[in-house]
Amino acid sequence: MSHSGDRDLELPPISYVWRTPVRKPKRAKWEIPDPVDPRKLTPAMRAKLQRIVAKAPEVMVKITGKTKTVGHLKSHLEYITRDGELAAETETGAVMEGRHGLRDIQAQWADDATLDHSRRRDGPLSHNIILSMPPGTDPIAVKEAVRAFAIETFGGRHDYVFVQHLDDKHPHVHLTVRSLGYDGRRLNPRKADLSAWRDLFAGELRLRGVEAEATPRRARGKVRKAERGVVRAIRERGEQPRVERLAREGIVREVRAGKSAAPPWETKTRERQAAIKEAYRRQAEELKRSASAADHDFATQVLQFVADMPELETKRDRLLKDLDKAVSKAQPLQRRKDKERGRPGSER
């Protein structure tokens, strides 16, 4: 899980927790070891650990989709601007307002798409991104942070437009980036890019006085992914999502077949989460060795953070619990039915 340049360096115990298995295009400040003592917490590492222990709000940066046709692109721009009611800001800093401004953006991007003969028929015209923060975050700071993020990430390389939405409890901004860059290369974001984007967005928010962090779920003791919007929408309609139905059927087959051993991926997940907790504890022990009373207090906070971590529960764990509850609920009903069948005079 190390970067090749750091392979031979012995880093602070906590560095294991924050690293992801993908190589980022650019290392964050907390990934750079102390040049004198690699095992020492650098100011950037310490600040990150403090924010995590204090449970600073986590940023969300998500690619919500792509547009592949001019019509789809126009519909998307109409959606994010609420058909021209919301102002959109472009990569040049120009603010496009009203239906006239919307038509200008649509016409420019549509013309560029028509002239782009190198694009495959199914190639994306744009990538659509949402940057969001929890309820209560200053929306002005969120918009300013997104502007800075877009300039740093795409400025001078891609056309883009962003619009802030304030009709949701989570202040968020829709950022649409033209796939084809000025140099002829196409935007093709990977997991590593998303990880770096989260780091950058969180940093821009902190520069504007908003406490924000960007850590993997596992660093906070969580392993289950958030429910996808489409799955949540299906459930809200009172229907059972197909993916959930198949997962439940799989669990039932496991139980009927008498399979009790956890699959390899689940065992690996538990081992990883145990290693993460141990890394926090080791870092706390390092802090306790310091002569500083502040470090001792910080060590106590780190240990409390570990103690407060949620119990590990995978999707399989939850489905097994649901099945157990269903069986427990059904048993009294079945016993009552069996009793009724055995009554004298019962037709059954």
Side-chain angles (χ1 to χ4, degrees):
M1 296 178 66
S2 302
H3 294 277
S4 58
D6 297 344
R7 193 170 291 147
D8 298 324
L9 294 175
E10 194 169 1
L11 297 171
I14 203 61
S15 66
Y16 163 78
V17 176
W18 303 331
R19 292 189 172 217
T20 59
V22 293
R23 182 186 297 275
K24 294 182 183 179
K26 183 180 178 180
R27 293 204 300 179
K29 290 182 179 178
W30 57 263
E31 293 179 286
I32 302 172
D34 187 289
V36 178
D37 182 3
R39 286 192 58 80
K40 181 181 178 182
L41 279 179
T42 64
M45 291 175 184
R46 186 185 183 93
K48 185 175 181 72
L49 180 56
Q50 288 175 326
R51 289 191 297 270
I52 292 172
V53 168
K55 299 180 181 178
E58 290 282 329
V59 302
M60 188 198 80
V61 179
K62 182 179 181 181
I63 297 177
T64 57
K66 307 172 185 177
T67 61
K68 295 188 177 182
T69 66
V70 171
H72 188 190
L73 174 62
K74 287 183 175 181
S75 296
H76 177 71
L77 292 174
E78 288 171 0
Y79 165 71
I80 65 174
T81 64
R82 295 291 191 261
D83 206 18
E85 292 182 8
L86 302 178
E89 187 172 326
T90 71
E91 75 286 345
T92 64
V95 177
M96 316 296 279
E97 297 182 286
R99 292 190 60 81
H100 179 72
L102 172 60
R103 284 195 294 269
D104 284 348
I105 299 173
Q106 290 175 334
Q108 179 186 341
W109 284 41
D111 287 345
D112 288 347
T114 303
L115 296 171
D116 181 10
H117 301 296
S118 64
R119 183 175 67 90
R120 297 195 314 270
R121 181 173 296 182
D122 62 343
L125 292 174
S126 74
H127 288 75
N128 311 320
I129 307 165
I130 285 184
L131 298 96
S132 174
M133 279 294 285
T137 309
D138 179 9
I140 295 176
V142 171
K143 186 175 182 179
E144 289 179 349
V146 170
R147 181 185 294 112
F149 164 84
I151 291 172
E152 173 67 22
T153 309
F154 306 111
R157 293 183 289 277
H158 291 267
D159 291 333
Y160 61 80
V161 60
F162 64 88
V163 182
Q164 183 171 43
H165 284 190
L166 298 175
D167 56 353
D168 186 88
K169 60 183 181 180
H170 292 79
H172 63 278
V173 174
H174 290 265
L175 171 63
T176 298
V177 184
R178 189 183 172 212
S179 177
L180 184 64
Y182 301 155
D183 60 359
R185 296 180 182 179
R186 294 189 176 281
L187 183 63
N188 186 25
R190 305 292 186 180
K191 286 185 178 181
D193 296 296
L194 279 172
S195 181
W197 291 357
R198 290 187 73 226
D199 280 336
L200 178 57
F201 182 39
E204 293 294 347
L205 283 165
R206 292 194 295 271
L207 289 175
R208 288 157 180 80
V210 177
E211 280 300 299
E213 237 329 306
T215 53
R217 287 187 305 276
R218 63 179 196 173
R220 292 168 270 133
K222 300 179 180 179
V223 296
R224 285 171 51 194
K225 294 182 180 179
E227 189 175 64
R228 292 175 59 192
V230 64
V231 174
R232 185 168 57 252
I234 292 172
R235 183 178 288 106
E236 288 173 353
R237 293 201 302 264
E239 302 172 17
Q240 185 181 42
R242 180 174 180 273
V243 64
E244 187 170 296
R245 176 174 57 80
L246 293 176
R248 289 179 184 278
E249 290 173 356
I251 288 294
V252 171
R253 284 195 298 271
E254 275 189 34
V255 173
R256 285 176 175 170
K259 294 180 180 179
S260 58
W265 63 264
E266 185 172 307
T267 301
K268 187 175 180 180
T269 297
R270 295 186 186 283
E271 290 173 350
R272 185 187 66 192
Q273 292 306 114
I276 284 173
K277 288 187 177 183
E278 181 59 25
Y280 277 118
R281 294 189 189 100
R282 284 174 56 203
Q283 194 61 67
E285 291 302 320
E286 290 287 338
L287 289 166
K288 284 181 179 180
R289 294 190 186 97
S290 167
S292 167
D295 282 351
H296 294 176
D297 290 341
F298 190 23
T300 301
Q301 294 170 29
V302 172
L303 291 173
Q304 186 60 51
F305 173 76
V306 176
D308 293 340
M309 273 187 170
E311 288 297 318
L312 190 152
E313 183 184 57
T314 64
K315 184 177 181 179
R316 181 173 176 273
D317 288 334
R318 181 178 63 81
L319 291 174
L320 282 169
K321 285 181 180 179
D322 289 347
L323 178 61
D324 187 56
K325 287 179 182 178
V327 171
S328 298
K329 187 176 180 180
Q331 283 176 341
L333 178 62
Q334 187 61 46
R335 282 197 296 268
R336 188 165 63 250
K337 286 182 177 180
D338 292 342
K339 187 176 181 181
E340 289 174 354
R341 291 191 186 102
R343 283 179 180 174
S346 171
E347 293 182 3
R348 295 187 179 182

